[in-house]
Amino acid sequence: MWILDTSVERDRVALWGPGGAVERASCPPSFLLTLADPVRHWELIEARAQATPERRFLSDPHGRSLTFAEFRDAAERAAAGLHAAGVEPGQTVSWQLPTTVDAIVLMAALSRLRVTQNPIIHILRSSEVGYIVDQLS
């Protein structure tokens, strides 16, 4: 199981992997969704980015927005960074982010990697997060 914590730095994430080692990956944090078929989900993202690449897809309260093509590309970069850090299909990734463009990109990246996502409400603190993660073991 992996735990993703984006509170470390704005453009970096901390990954706690098997054995508890802390690793850092330079990948933009991003998106959340539990989907029954992550392969199909990624196909839909690809198809929409090809059909309407310049159309705006996401906006958040912080003024960030992405077109469909930008979203796909950001999710690809995030997936590549997570995979390089050791996240592989079939693993479980727990993560905490507020509802932003970054959270949506992360969800798509993890879907692309075909991992099980365990999103955790971003207002919970370490003791609550620890309890939730312990339930997965």
Side-chain angles (χ1 to χ4, degrees):
M1 174 180 44
W2 289 86
I3 300 171
L4 177 69
D5 176 10
T6 59
S7 65
V8 179
E9 296 174 28
R10 174 81 176 98
D11 63 340
R12 294 178 65 78
V13 294
L15 295 169
W16 282 264
V22 176
E23 299 180 35
R24 296 208 176 177
S26 292
C27 56
S30 307
F31 158 42
L32 160 269
L33 259 173
T34 303
L35 298 164
D37 187 355
V39 175
R40 178 74 176 130
H41 179 242
W42 188 255
E43 289 173 0
L44 293 172
I45 292 170
E46 283 281 355
R48 187 59 192 249
Q50 289 175 3
T52 58
E54 298 304 316
R55 181 175 240 175
R56 186 181 337 177
F57 173 54
L58 292 171
S59 297
D60 70 19
H62 307 288
R64 293 195 51 214
S65 66
L66 294 175
T67 65
F68 283 101
E70 291 168 337
F71 170 69
R72 179 206 50 216
D73 295 347
E76 283 281 356
R77 285 190 306 275
L82 290 164
H83 186 263
V87 177
E88 297 180 5
Q91 293 180 325
T92 298
V93 175
S94 295
W95 57 271
Q96 278 187 293
L97 280 174
T99 307
T100 63
V101 168
D102 289 338
I104 306 305
V105 174
L106 177 61
M107 290 188 324
L110 293 171
S111 178
R112 176 82 169 107
L113 292 172
R114 293 182 282 153
V115 302
T116 300
Q117 297 185 47
N118 181 44
I120 300 172
I121 298 170
H122 76 280
I123 61 172
L124 298 181
R125 298 296 173 238
S126 60
S127 61
E128 292 98 355
V129 172
Y131 177 79
I132 291 167
V133 171
D134 286 345
Q135 301 307 303
L136 297 173
S137 301

